[in-house]
mmCIF file of all heavy atoms in Angstrom:
data_model
loop_
_atom_site.group_PDB
_atom_site.id
_atom_site.type_symbol
_atom_site.label_atom_id
_atom_site.label_comp_id
_atom_site.label_asym_id
_atom_site.label_seq_id
_atom_site.Cartn_x
_atom_site.Cartn_y
_atom_site.Cartn_z
ATOM 1 N N ASP D 105 6.513 7.627 -3.989
ATOM 2 C CA ASP D 105 6.653 9.060 -3.766
ATOM 3 C C ASP D 105 5.313 9.663 -3.377
ATOM 4 O O ASP D 105 5.248 10.505 -2.498
ATOM 5 C CB ASP D 105 7.209 9.721 -5.009
ATOM 6 C CG ASP D 105 7.386 11.214 -4.833
ATOM 7 O OD1 ASP D 105 8.230 11.607 -4.005
ATOM 8 O OD2 ASP D 105 6.642 11.991 -5.498
ATOM 9 N N ILE D 106 4.223 9.245 -3.998
ATOM 10 C CA ILE D 106 2.894 9.734 -3.629
ATOM 11 C C ILE D 106 2.577 9.344 -2.186
ATOM 12 O O ILE D 106 2.059 10.156 -1.433
ATOM 13 C CB ILE D 106 1.830 9.158 -4.601
ATOM 14 C CG1 ILE D 106 2.035 9.756 -6.012
ATOM 15 C CG2 ILE D 106 0.410 9.420 -4.105
ATOM 16 C CD1 ILE D 106 1.270 9.071 -7.104
ATOM 17 N N VAL D 107 2.888 8.125 -1.833
ATOM 18 C CA VAL D 107 2.634 7.665 -0.453
ATOM 19 C C VAL D 107 3.503 8.451 0.490
ATOM 20 O O VAL D 107 3.061 8.840 1.593
ATOM 21 C CB VAL D 107 2.899 6.145 -0.316
ATOM 22 C CG1 VAL D 107 2.813 5.699 1.094
ATOM 23 C CG2 VAL D 107 1.897 5.382 -1.196
ATOM 24 N N TRP D 108 4.753 8.717 0.121
ATOM 25 C CA TRP D 108 5.667 9.473 0.977
ATOM 26 C C TRP D 108 5.054 10.800 1.416
ATOM 27 O O TRP D 108 5.248 11.268 2.530
ATOM 28 C CB TRP D 108 7.013 9.675 0.267
ATOM 29 C CG TRP D 108 7.912 10.666 0.985
ATOM 30 C CD1 TRP D 108 8.690 10.378 2.016
ATOM 31 C CD2 TRP D 108 8.091 12.044 0.634
ATOM 32 N NE1 TRP D 108 9.340 11.521 2.419
ATOM 33 C CE2 TRP D 108 8.983 12.559 1.606
ATOM 34 C CE3 TRP D 108 7.558 12.908 -0.298
ATOM 35 C CZ2 TRP D 108 9.369 13.917 1.602
ATOM 36 C CZ3 TRP D 108 7.941 14.218 -0.291
ATOM 37 C CH2 TRP D 108 8.837 14.693 0.643
ATOM 38 N N ARG D 109 4.296 11.422 0.510
ATOM 39 C CA ARG D 109 3.677 12.715 0.825
ATOM 40 C C ARG D 109 2.758 12.624 2.015
ATOM 41 O O ARG D 109 2.513 13.609 2.695
ATOM 42 C CB ARG D 109 2.945 13.288 -0.403
ATOM 43 C CG ARG D 109 3.909 13.552 -1.514
ATOM 44 C CD ARG D 109 3.190 13.963 -2.817
ATOM 45 N NE ARG D 109 4.119 13.960 -3.921
ATOM 46 C CZ ARG D 109 5.008 14.885 -4.184
ATOM 47 N NH1 ARG D 109 5.085 15.946 -3.405
ATOM 48 N NH2 ARG D 109 5.808 14.812 -5.223
ATOM 49 N N HIS D 110 2.222 11.444 2.302
ATOM 50 C CA HIS D 110 1.349 11.261 3.462
ATOM 51 C C HIS D 110 2.122 11.084 4.752
ATOM 52 O O HIS D 110 1.583 11.290 5.842
ATOM 53 C CB HIS D 110 0.459 10.022 3.272
ATOM 54 C CG HIS D 110 -0.513 10.169 2.155
ATOM 55 N ND1 HIS D 110 -1.671 10.927 2.253
ATOM 56 C CD2 HIS D 110 -0.517 9.687 0.903
ATOM 57 C CE1 HIS D 110 -2.345 10.870 1.126
ATOM 58 N NE2 HIS D 110 -1.651 10.124 0.269
ATOM 59 N N ILE D 111 3.401 10.671 4.693
ATOM 60 C CA ILE D 111 4.145 10.381 5.897
ATOM 61 C C ILE D 111 5.389 11.280 6.049
ATOM 62 O O ILE D 111 6.154 11.092 7.016
ATOM 63 C CB ILE D 111 4.606 8.898 5.952
ATOM 64 C CG1 ILE D 111 5.585 8.563 4.825
ATOM 65 C CG2 ILE D 111 3.405 7.955 5.932
ATOM 66 C CD1 ILE D 111 6.262 7.226 4.968
ATOM 67 N N ARG D 112 5.552 12.242 5.204
ATOM 68 C CA ARG D 112 6.784 13.033 5.189
ATOM 69 C C ARG D 112 6.977 13.901 6.395
ATOM 70 O O ARG D 112 8.068 14.391 6.641
ATOM 71 C CB ARG D 112 6.823 13.895 3.932
ATOM 72 C CG ARG D 112 5.797 14.978 3.897
ATOM 73 C CD ARG D 112 5.873 15.816 2.673
ATOM 74 N NE ARG D 112 4.861 16.809 2.671
ATOM 75 C CZ ARG D 112 4.235 17.218 1.613
ATOM 76 N NH1 ARG D 112 4.550 16.727 0.424
ATOM 77 N NH2 ARG D 112 3.298 18.133 1.688
ATOM 78 N N ASP D 113 5.921 14.119 7.178
ATOM 79 C CA ASP D 113 6.084 15.000 8.364
ATOM 80 C C ASP D 113 6.690 14.343 9.576
ATOM 81 O O ASP D 113 6.779 14.972 10.645
ATOM 82 C CB ASP D 113 4.718 15.626 8.688
ATOM 83 C CG ASP D 113 4.211 16.579 7.623
ATOM 84 O OD1 ASP D 113 5.091 17.165 6.942
ATOM 85 O OD2 ASP D 113 3.011 16.727 7.467
ATOM 86 N N HIS D 114 7.023 13.109 9.470
ATOM 87 C CA HIS D 114 7.718 12.437 10.583
ATOM 88 C C HIS D 114 8.819 11.516 10.059
ATOM 89 O O HIS D 114 8.792 11.100 8.933
ATOM 90 C CB HIS D 114 6.704 11.630 11.465
ATOM 91 C CG HIS D 114 6.097 10.448 10.772
ATOM 92 N ND1 HIS D 114 4.872 10.507 10.110
ATOM 93 C CD2 HIS D 114 6.529 9.179 10.620
ATOM 94 C CE1 HIS D 114 4.610 9.332 9.589
ATOM 95 N NE2 HIS D 114 5.572 8.531 9.877
ATOM 96 N N GLU D 115 9.723 11.208 10.944
ATOM 97 C CA GLU D 115 10.773 10.211 10.569
ATOM 98 C C GLU D 115 10.177 8.859 10.438
ATOM 99 O O GLU D 115 9.224 8.502 11.136
ATOM 100 C CB GLU D 115 11.908 10.232 11.637
ATOM 101 C CG GLU D 115 12.696 11.501 11.729
ATOM 102 C CD GLU D 115 13.472 11.752 10.407
ATOM 103 O OE1 GLU D 115 14.100 10.804 9.902
ATOM 104 O OE2 GLU D 115 13.430 12.887 9.921
ATOM 105 N N PRO D 116 10.709 8.013 9.561
ATOM 106 C CA PRO D 116 10.213 6.652 9.413
ATOM 107 C C PRO D 116 10.192 5.907 10.717
ATOM 108 O O PRO D 116 11.100 5.983 11.527
ATOM 109 C CB PRO D 116 11.200 6.007 8.417
ATOM 110 C CG PRO D 116 11.773 7.157 7.685
ATOM 111 C CD PRO D 116 11.851 8.289 8.660
ATOM 112 N N ARG D 117 9.082 5.200 10.975
ATOM 113 C CA ARG D 117 8.852 4.478 12.245
ATOM 114 C C ARG D 117 9.078 2.968 12.083
ATOM 115 O O ARG D 117 9.246 2.267 13.087
ATOM 116 C CB ARG D 117 7.464 4.692 12.740
ATOM 117 C CG ARG D 117 7.200 6.145 13.050
ATOM 118 C CD ARG D 117 5.777 6.330 13.537
ATOM 119 N NE ARG D 117 5.524 7.795 13.622
ATOM 120 C CZ ARG D 117 4.346 8.339 13.391
ATOM 121 N NH1 ARG D 117 3.342 7.577 13.053
ATOM 122 N NH2 ARG D 117 4.229 9.631 13.491
ATOM 123 N N ASP D 118 9.094 2.469 10.859
ATOM 124 C CA ASP D 118 9.318 1.039 10.662
ATOM 125 C C ASP D 118 9.928 0.826 9.301
ATOM 126 O O ASP D 118 10.172 1.795 8.569
ATOM 127 C CB ASP D 118 8.000 0.261 10.833
ATOM 128 C CG ASP D 118 6.918 0.647 9.849
ATOM 129 O OD1 ASP D 118 7.232 1.284 8.802
ATOM 130 O OD2 ASP D 118 5.729 0.373 10.142
ATOM 131 N N ARG D 119 10.171 -0.409 8.960
ATOM 132 C CA ARG D 119 10.878 -0.713 7.700
ATOM 133 C C ARG D 119 10.033 -0.285 6.485
ATOM 134 O O ARG D 119 10.599 0.217 5.499
ATOM 135 C CB ARG D 119 11.220 -2.212 7.634
ATOM 136 C CG ARG D 119 12.056 -2.548 6.427
ATOM 137 C CD ARG D 119 13.389 -1.833 6.449
ATOM 138 N NE ARG D 119 14.104 -2.118 5.221
ATOM 139 C CZ ARG D 119 14.882 -1.236 4.592
ATOM 140 N NH1 ARG D 119 15.104 -0.003 5.080
ATOM 141 N NH2 ARG D 119 15.489 -1.572 3.474
ATOM 142 N N ALA D 120 8.736 -0.449 6.542
ATOM 143 C CA ALA D 120 7.909 -0.052 5.418
ATOM 144 C C ALA D 120 8.030 1.450 5.136
ATOM 145 O O ALA D 120 8.190 1.876 4.000
ATOM 146 C CB ALA D 120 6.416 -0.408 5.661
ATOM 147 N N GLU D 121 7.966 2.234 6.196
ATOM 148 C CA GLU D 121 8.124 3.681 5.991
ATOM 149 C C GLU D 121 9.531 4.019 5.505
ATOM 150 O O GLU D 121 9.675 4.955 4.677
ATOM 151 C CB GLU D 121 7.812 4.425 7.288
ATOM 152 C CG GLU D 121 6.352 4.382 7.625
ATOM 153 C CD GLU D 121 5.940 5.217 8.815
ATOM 154 O OE1 GLU D 121 6.743 6.031 9.284
ATOM 155 O OE2 GLU D 121 4.787 5.090 9.270
ATOM 156 N N GLU D 122 10.535 3.295 5.930
ATOM 157 C CA GLU D 122 11.865 3.525 5.405
ATOM 158 C C GLU D 122 11.907 3.235 3.880
ATOM 159 O O GLU D 122 12.531 3.973 3.089
ATOM 160 C CB GLU D 122 12.914 2.640 6.086
ATOM 161 C CG GLU D 122 13.174 3.042 7.507
ATOM 162 C CD GLU D 122 14.042 2.056 8.286
ATOM 163 O OE1 GLU D 122 14.394 0.992 7.701
ATOM 164 O OE2 GLU D 122 14.353 2.298 9.432
ATOM 165 N N LEU D 123 11.227 2.167 3.437
ATOM 166 C CA LEU D 123 11.203 1.803 2.025
ATOM 167 C C LEU D 123 10.406 2.876 1.244
ATOM 168 O O LEU D 123 10.783 3.163 0.100
ATOM 169 C CB LEU D 123 10.582 0.437 1.822
ATOM 170 C CG LEU D 123 11.426 -0.727 2.299
ATOM 171 C CD1 LEU D 123 10.675 -2.048 2.176
ATOM 172 C CD2 LEU D 123 12.784 -0.814 1.583
ATOM 173 N N ILE D 124 9.366 3.405 1.825
ATOM 174 C CA ILE D 124 8.621 4.465 1.157
ATOM 175 C C ILE D 124 9.518 5.688 0.939
ATOM 176 O O ILE D 124 9.575 6.289 -0.140
ATOM 177 C CB ILE D 124 7.374 4.853 1.960
ATOM 178 C CG1 ILE D 124 6.359 3.661 1.930
ATOM 179 C CG2 ILE D 124 6.718 6.121 1.458
ATOM 180 C CD1 ILE D 124 5.246 3.740 2.938
ATOM 181 N N TRP D 125 10.279 6.076 1.955
ATOM 182 C CA TRP D 125 11.249 7.200 1.856
ATOM 183 C C TRP D 125 12.281 6.855 0.774
ATOM 184 O O TRP D 125 12.676 7.715 -0.030
ATOM 185 C CB TRP D 125 11.948 7.445 3.166
ATOM 186 C CG TRP D 125 11.138 8.311 4.134
ATOM 187 C CD1 TRP D 125 10.017 7.939 4.811
ATOM 188 C CD2 TRP D 125 11.352 9.691 4.415
ATOM 189 N NE1 TRP D 125 9.529 8.982 5.565
ATOM 190 C CE2 TRP D 125 10.342 10.080 5.362
ATOM 191 C CE3 TRP D 125 12.287 10.626 4.009
ATOM 192 C CZ2 TRP D 125 10.239 11.375 5.826
ATOM 193 C CZ3 TRP D 125 12.200 11.909 4.531
ATOM 194 C CH2 TRP D 125 11.194 12.285 5.401
ATOM 195 N N GLU D 126 12.764 5.603 0.753
ATOM 196 C CA GLU D 126 13.766 5.175 -0.201
ATOM 197 C C GLU D 126 13.186 5.275 -1.658
ATOM 198 O O GLU D 126 13.884 5.707 -2.577
ATOM 199 C CB GLU D 126 14.207 3.776 0.081
ATOM 200 C CG GLU D 126 15.225 3.232 -0.869
ATOM 201 C CD GLU D 126 16.632 3.794 -0.680
ATOM 202 O OE1 GLU D 126 16.870 4.468 0.352
ATOM 203 O OE2 GLU D 126 17.474 3.578 -1.544
ATOM 204 N N GLY D 127 11.924 4.897 -1.802
ATOM 205 C CA GLY D 127 11.272 5.025 -3.108
ATOM 206 C C GLY D 127 11.203 6.467 -3.568
ATOM 207 O O GLY D 127 11.461 6.802 -4.741
ATOM 208 N N MET D 128 10.909 7.347 -2.662
ATOM 209 C CA MET D 128 10.873 8.778 -2.967
ATOM 210 C C MET D 128 12.252 9.238 -3.385
ATOM 211 O O MET D 128 12.405 9.983 -4.380
ATOM 212 C CB MET D 128 10.369 9.588 -1.747
ATOM 213 C CG MET D 128 10.416 11.081 -1.904
ATOM 214 S SD MET D 128 12.022 11.918 -1.512
ATOM 215 C CE MET D 128 12.322 11.428 0.181
ATOM 216 N N ALA D 129 13.283 8.803 -2.673
ATOM 217 C CA ALA D 129 14.663 9.196 -3.010
ATOM 218 C C ALA D 129 15.044 8.689 -4.422
ATOM 219 O O ALA D 129 15.631 9.431 -5.191
ATOM 220 C CB ALA D 129 15.637 8.643 -1.971
ATOM 221 N N CYS D 130 14.653 7.429 -4.733
ATOM 222 C CA CYS D 130 14.959 6.892 -6.079
ATOM 223 C C CYS D 130 14.318 7.751 -7.134
ATOM 224 O O CYS D 130 14.950 8.089 -8.144
ATOM 225 C CB CYS D 130 14.511 5.453 -6.175
ATOM 226 S SG CYS D 130 15.533 4.274 -5.310
ATOM 227 N N LEU D 131 13.036 8.071 -6.963
ATOM 228 C CA LEU D 131 12.365 8.887 -7.922
ATOM 229 C C LEU D 131 13.065 10.232 -8.138
ATOM 230 O O LEU D 131 13.292 10.664 -9.281
ATOM 231 C CB LEU D 131 10.917 9.115 -7.521
ATOM 232 C CG LEU D 131 10.118 10.015 -8.479
ATOM 233 C CD1 LEU D 131 9.736 9.227 -9.705
ATOM 234 C CD2 LEU D 131 8.897 10.571 -7.793
ATOM 235 N N GLU D 132 13.438 10.854 -7.044
ATOM 236 C CA GLU D 132 14.048 12.173 -7.190
ATOM 237 C C GLU D 132 15.480 12.093 -7.746
ATOM 238 O O GLU D 132 15.888 12.990 -8.483
ATOM 239 C CB GLU D 132 14.040 12.888 -5.831
ATOM 240 C CG GLU D 132 12.627 13.249 -5.426
ATOM 241 C CD GLU D 132 12.522 14.211 -4.271
ATOM 242 O OE1 GLU D 132 13.559 14.583 -3.677
ATOM 243 O OE2 GLU D 132 11.370 14.590 -3.963
ATOM 244 N N LEU D 133 16.215 11.033 -7.458
ATOM 245 C CA LEU D 133 17.529 10.871 -8.052
ATOM 246 C C LEU D 133 17.480 10.762 -9.568
ATOM 247 O O LEU D 133 18.268 11.261 -10.298
ATOM 248 C CB LEU D 133 18.258 9.695 -7.447
ATOM 249 C CG LEU D 133 18.770 9.877 -6.009
ATOM 250 C CD1 LEU D 133 19.216 8.544 -5.430
ATOM 251 C CD2 LEU D 133 19.886 10.895 -5.988
ATOM 252 N N VAL D 134 16.428 10.048 -10.028
ATOM 253 C CA VAL D 134 16.252 9.883 -11.493
ATOM 254 C C VAL D 134 15.756 11.213 -12.081
ATOM 255 O O VAL D 134 16.270 11.712 -13.057
ATOM 256 C CB VAL D 134 15.246 8.759 -11.813
ATOM 257 C CG1 VAL D 134 14.818 8.785 -13.263
ATOM 258 C CG2 VAL D 134 15.846 7.413 -11.426
ATOM 259 N N ARG D 135 14.744 11.775 -11.430
ATOM 260 C CA ARG D 135 14.108 12.989 -11.965
ATOM 261 C C ARG D 135 15.046 14.192 -12.007
ATOM 262 O O ARG D 135 15.070 14.905 -12.960
ATOM 263 C CB ARG D 135 12.880 13.305 -11.140
ATOM 264 C CG ARG D 135 12.044 14.488 -11.665
ATOM 265 C CD ARG D 135 10.841 14.716 -10.851
ATOM 266 N NE ARG D 135 9.861 13.685 -11.121
ATOM 267 C CZ ARG D 135 8.793 13.441 -10.330
ATOM 268 N NH1 ARG D 135 8.650 14.122 -9.225
ATOM 269 N NH2 ARG D 135 7.964 12.493 -10.651
ATOM 270 N N TYR D 136 15.797 14.430 -10.927
ATOM 271 C CA TYR D 136 16.553 15.633 -10.779
ATOM 272 C C TYR D 136 18.014 15.499 -11.095
ATOM 273 O O TYR D 136 18.702 16.455 -11.445
ATOM 274 C CB TYR D 136 16.335 16.272 -9.394
ATOM 275 C CG TYR D 136 14.895 16.597 -9.148
ATOM 276 C CD1 TYR D 136 14.179 15.948 -8.153
ATOM 277 C CD2 TYR D 136 14.250 17.528 -9.930
ATOM 278 C CE1 TYR D 136 12.850 16.230 -7.925
ATOM 279 C CE2 TYR D 136 12.873 17.815 -9.711
ATOM 280 C CZ TYR D 136 12.189 17.162 -8.709
ATOM 281 O OH TYR D 136 10.894 17.434 -8.501
ATOM 282 N N LEU D 137 18.565 14.311 -10.909
ATOM 283 C CA LEU D 137 19.998 14.101 -11.141
ATOM 284 C C LEU D 137 20.304 13.120 -12.263
ATOM 285 O O LEU D 137 21.469 12.848 -12.560
ATOM 286 C CB LEU D 137 20.708 13.635 -9.846
ATOM 287 C CG LEU D 137 20.589 14.599 -8.660
ATOM 288 C CD1 LEU D 137 21.217 13.991 -7.438
ATOM 289 C CD2 LEU D 137 21.191 15.945 -8.989
ATOM 290 N N ASP D 138 19.270 12.550 -12.830
ATOM 291 C CA ASP D 138 19.420 11.637 -13.970
ATOM 292 C C ASP D 138 20.315 10.464 -13.573
ATOM 293 O O ASP D 138 21.101 9.975 -14.423
ATOM 294 C CB ASP D 138 19.907 12.352 -15.225
ATOM 295 C CG ASP D 138 19.615 11.549 -16.476
ATOM 296 O OD1 ASP D 138 18.616 10.784 -16.488
ATOM 297 O OD2 ASP D 138 20.407 11.668 -17.416
ATOM 298 N N GLU D 139 20.222 9.998 -12.348
ATOM 299 C CA GLU D 139 21.058 8.860 -11.892
ATOM 300 C C GLU D 139 20.379 7.540 -12.247
ATOM 301 O O GLU D 139 19.146 7.436 -12.288
ATOM 302 C CB GLU D 139 21.276 8.933 -10.397
ATOM 303 C CG GLU D 139 22.263 9.964 -9.954
ATOM 304 C CD GLU D 139 22.670 9.763 -8.492
ATOM 305 O OE1 GLU D 139 22.573 8.666 -7.962
ATOM 306 O OE2 GLU D 139 23.076 10.791 -7.896
ATOM 307 N N ASP D 140 21.184 6.552 -12.418
ATOM 308 C CA ASP D 140 20.640 5.191 -12.691
ATOM 309 C C ASP D 140 20.470 4.527 -11.282
ATOM 310 O O ASP D 140 21.473 4.263 -10.592
ATOM 311 C CB ASP D 140 21.624 4.402 -13.542
ATOM 312 C CG ASP D 140 21.120 2.958 -13.778
ATOM 313 O OD1 ASP D 140 19.970 2.657 -13.430
ATOM 314 O OD2 ASP D 140 21.910 2.185 -14.341
ATOM 315 N N VAL D 141 19.244 4.300 -10.940
ATOM 316 C CA VAL D 141 18.909 3.699 -9.635
ATOM 317 C C VAL D 141 18.265 2.346 -9.799
ATOM 318 O O VAL D 141 17.578 1.854 -8.909
ATOM 319 C CB VAL D 141 18.023 4.615 -8.776
ATOM 320 C CG1 VAL D 141 18.741 5.936 -8.452
ATOM 321 C CG2 VAL D 141 16.730 4.897 -9.471
ATOM 322 N N THR D 142 18.478 1.733 -10.966
ATOM 323 C CA THR D 142 17.830 0.458 -11.259
ATOM 324 C C THR D 142 18.005 -0.590 -10.177
ATOM 325 O O THR D 142 17.057 -1.174 -9.721
ATOM 326 C CB THR D 142 18.341 -0.065 -12.627
ATOM 327 O OG1 THR D 142 18.095 0.913 -13.609
ATOM 328 C CG2 THR D 142 17.616 -1.351 -13.007
ATOM 329 N N ASP D 143 19.265 -0.823 -9.793
ATOM 330 C CA ASP D 143 19.543 -1.843 -8.755
ATOM 331 C C ASP D 143 18.961 -1.458 -7.410
ATOM 332 O O ASP D 143 18.333 -2.301 -6.744
ATOM 333 C CB ASP D 143 21.022 -2.086 -8.649
ATOM 334 C CG ASP D 143 21.639 -2.726 -9.903
ATOM 335 O OD1 ASP D 143 20.860 -3.314 -10.700
ATOM 336 O OD2 ASP D 143 22.850 -2.639 -10.071
ATOM 337 N N ARG D 144 19.119 -0.217 -7.061
ATOM 338 C CA ARG D 144 18.588 0.272 -5.772
ATOM 339 C C ARG D 144 17.078 0.162 -5.679
ATOM 340 O O ARG D 144 16.503 -0.339 -4.727
ATOM 341 C CB ARG D 144 19.043 1.719 -5.584
ATOM 342 C CG ARG D 144 18.677 2.391 -4.305
ATOM 343 C CD ARG D 144 19.285 3.758 -4.280
ATOM 344 N NE ARG D 144 18.906 4.480 -3.099
ATOM 345 C CZ ARG D 144 19.306 5.696 -2.796
ATOM 346 N NH1 ARG D 144 20.163 6.323 -3.604
ATOM 347 N NH2 ARG D 144 18.899 6.288 -1.716
ATOM 348 N N ALA D 145 16.399 0.580 -6.783
ATOM 349 C CA ALA D 145 14.932 0.490 -6.799
ATOM 350 C C ALA D 145 14.445 -0.929 -6.829
ATOM 351 O O ALA D 145 13.496 -1.300 -6.169
ATOM 352 C CB ALA D 145 14.423 1.266 -7.999
ATOM 353 N N SER D 146 15.120 -1.787 -7.617
ATOM 354 C CA SER D 146 14.734 -3.209 -7.664
ATOM 355 C C SER D 146 14.863 -3.848 -6.288
ATOM 356 O O SER D 146 13.972 -4.613 -5.850
ATOM 357 C CB SER D 146 15.620 -3.965 -8.629
ATOM 358 O OG SER D 146 15.354 -3.580 -9.947
#
Side-chain angles (χ1 to χ4, degrees):
D105 181 66
I106 292 167
V107 174
W108 170 80
R109 295 173 193 283
H110 294 284
I111 65 169
R112 69 179 178 216
D113 292 332
H114 67 265
E115 290 297 315
R117 297 180 189 145
D118 61 19
R119 185 62 185 145
E121 290 186 11
E122 289 172 357
L123 291 174
I124 292 166
W125 278 75
E126 180 75 11
M128 175 275 301
C130 285
L131 178 76
E132 292 193 356
L133 287 168
V134 169
R135 184 179 287 163
Y136 300 115
L137 300 177
D138 199 29
E139 284 192 27
D140 180 9
V141 296
T142 303
D143 293 341
R144 183 175 175 178
S146 292

